[in-house]
Amino acid sequence: MTFHLFRAGKAKNYHYRFQIAGARVQRSTRESSKAKANVVAQRAYDEALTLTNGGKVVPTLAGMAQEWLEVNGPISSAAHQRSVETTARLHFYDLGDLPLNQITTSHVELARNLHLVDHKPASANHWLRVLKLIANWAVKRELIRSIPWQVRMLKVQKRPRSILPIVAVAEWFAAVDQVTRADPSVATAIRLMFGLGLRESEAAGARWEWLDWQRATYTPGITKGREAEPVPVPAWLIEQLAPHRQVEGLIAGKRGGTQQHPPGFARKAMKSANLSCKIKGITPHRLRGTFATMLSEQGVPIQTIQAVMRHKSPMTTMAYLEKNRDTAAQAQNDIAEKIGFGRGEKVAGSVQQTRMDKHLHDYHQSSVDGNSGLDSGSTEPVPGE
């Protein structure tokens, strides 16, 4: 409710009250009928709202989201568009009908609490990003001066994300091939994700004319960030694609390459392969992360990985890289060898332990004989030294 209707004392006429831009407004509608008073109050509120916004009517959050979808939907990725549409349709709670400049920090925090009833903190952070996206777009279009609320992201416990182990790659892809026998194009698309670091949508829309056979490079023609950065194609992938080579068309299209796969088309095959190989968490996104991590483990500079992954910022690229503990363990062993903590040190330690045992034996023997054997002036060497 943007305003409050009430009767003062025994008065027959209704009054309205609302607060806008920090100012409280309270007046009589001069109407005894609640329906007519409601019209008067709504008109007064709308006029005040327009005046505080330089003559422009401030849209509601739901209205602004719909306008964003109409303007930006056709030029945004399908996943981005779907994210805003779903949030606006299901998760605005009591915020949707509020004008953008009337949404307070308390409003957003209470709505987030409702979201947390059925969703995890990471989902609540994503929800908050969508709200900020819509509010910032309203600021950019000069419909509001600034976002009137300030809510911080929730702290989320970071967990290591899955990567496909090198030793399991062959078995995993064999399982993918097994489950996609009815539609091998899905297996081809998954190999494009793994070999080129493509996003799922990019693999679904990959085209033969973007593949340079002579230079063994692939340049995605349609990408999330509108980039056109060539990616080297590994020899094994060239061999996989060569028998099916076409002049143009979809590389991994369904029904003979005539139709593009819908979003999420590869997840079922990946989930089945994960189960078969006893691996958790390998999704199209994590397959892209595996691609980046493997490049990093082979010593490829972060700037090169950034270019191949088509990221605008190296910080985005670094978020994809997972820590390989096997690599760290090997590095620790190499360091230990260099500083003398390797096998040679273990031998030296064994000798030292033998000497310590000899000292303890002599001490106990001398105690039996009535001599502590700890004469500081003794210079008798320990046998074996």
Side-chain angles (χ1 to χ4, degrees):
M1 192 72 171
T2 54
F3 55 84
H4 173 61
L5 278 179
F6 64 97
R7 279 179 171 151
K10 297 182 179 180
K12 294 182 178 181
N13 292 339
Y14 280 92
H15 291 66
Y16 62 82
R17 178 192 303 128
F18 59 81
Q19 187 167 334
I20 189 166
R24 180 175 173 173
V25 179
Q26 180 173 317
R27 293 187 179 89
S28 171
T29 65
R30 301 182 184 276
E31 297 285 350
S32 58
S33 166
K34 189 173 183 179
K36 292 181 179 179
N38 191 70
V39 173
V40 173
Q42 185 67 60
R43 183 169 60 245
Y45 178 81
D46 291 342
E47 289 175 354
L49 194 62
T50 302
L51 288 174
T52 60
N53 194 40
K56 298 177 183 178
V57 177
V58 178
T60 63
L61 178 63
M64 196 79 252
Q66 184 59 41
E67 186 174 340
W68 186 96
L69 286 167
E70 292 173 358
V71 175
N72 295 289
I75 59 175
S76 300
S77 68
H80 197 187
Q81 182 179 1
R82 189 166 56 250
S83 175
V84 175
E85 189 277 329
T86 301
T87 302
R89 180 166 49 89
L90 300 175
H91 305 307
F92 273 172
Y93 307 106
D94 296 332
L95 301 179
D97 294 333
L98 292 177
L100 284 167
N101 64 342
Q102 295 300 299
I103 298 176
T104 66
T105 297
S106 179
H107 284 137
V108 177
E109 289 175 339
L110 291 174
R112 184 174 63 181
N113 289 344
L114 291 175
H115 192 73
L116 284 169
V117 172
D118 298 316
H119 298 81
K120 295 181 179 179
S123 175
N125 285 343
H126 178 73
W127 172 85
L128 187 59
R129 291 187 192 98
V130 173
L131 259 62
K132 287 183 176 180
L133 170 72
I134 296 170
N136 278 322
W137 194 62
V139 173
K140 186 176 180 180
R141 293 175 68 86
E142 297 183 349
L143 295 174
I144 56 176
R145 295 180 181 179
S146 61
I147 299 178
W149 45 270
Q150 295 292 331
V151 178
R152 293 184 178 182
M153 296 288 178
L154 297 173
K155 291 185 178 181
V156 179
Q157 179 63 47
K158 299 295 183 182
R159 297 180 180 178
R161 293 170 294 182
S162 301
I163 62 172
L164 183 59
I166 294 179
V167 295
V169 169
E171 180 186 359
W172 192 81
F173 271 103
V176 168
D177 292 337
Q178 180 69 19
V179 77
T180 59
R181 285 178 298 175
D183 191 357
S185 64
V186 175
T188 300
I190 293 175
R191 282 178 167 83
L192 291 175
M193 298 179 210
F194 178 78
L196 302 177
L198 298 184
R199 302 174 179 94
E200 184 184 41
S201 60
E202 294 171 349
R207 301 186 66 84
W208 290 108
E209 54 264 38
W210 299 338
L211 181 58
D212 189 329
W213 293 91
Q214 184 177 356
R215 295 181 176 84
T217 60
Y218 177 78
T219 306
I222 301 177
T223 64
K224 178 181 178 181
R226 313 294 186 265
E227 316 92 339
E229 188 74 32
V231 182
V233 183
W236 68 264
L237 186 55
I238 289 288
E239 293 178 4
Q240 290 274 342
L241 298 176
H244 312 286
R245 180 175 178 176
Q246 301 290 332
V247 176
E248 61 181 13
L250 294 171
I251 296 177
K254 61 179 182 178
R255 297 185 181 179
T258 59
Q259 295 183 13
Q260 184 169 324
H261 285 286
F265 72 96
R267 294 180 180 272
K268 183 178 179 180
M270 289 187 176
K271 186 176 181 179
S272 178
N274 291 347
L275 185 63
S276 176
C277 298
K278 296 180 175 57
I279 297 174
K280 288 186 177 182
I282 302 301
T283 63
H285 191 69
R286 289 316 309 150
L287 208 56
R288 180 167 160 85
T290 297
F291 171 79
T293 299
M294 287 183 173
L295 290 180
S296 177
E297 290 171 356
Q298 293 301 312
V300 178
I302 187 69
Q303 296 88 344
T304 303
I305 301 176
Q306 175 191 349
V308 173
M309 295 282 285
R310 303 176 309 285
H311 288 150
K312 294 180 180 179
S313 168
M315 297 302 294
T316 304
T317 306
M318 291 178 67
Y320 277 77
L321 304 181
E322 293 302 314
K323 289 77 177 175
N324 187 319
R325 286 164 179 76
D326 292 338
T327 303
Q330 182 59 49
Q332 287 173 324
N333 289 336
D334 292 344
I335 294 171
E337 291 285 352
K338 291 179 180 179
I339 63 178
F341 288 170
R343 291 184 178 180
E345 180 63 16
K346 290 180 181 178
V347 174
S350 299
V351 173
Q352 184 65 29
Q353 185 62 44
T354 302
R355 292 174 178 174
M356 181 61 71
D357 292 342
K358 176 62 175 174
H359 276 296
L360 290 174
H361 177 270
D362 291 346
Y363 170 75
H364 289 302
Q365 186 62 42
S366 61
S367 297
V368 172
D369 296 339
N371 185 355
S372 68
L374 297 180
D375 183 1
S376 61
S378 175
T379 58
E380 181 180 355
V382 176
E385 287 191 342

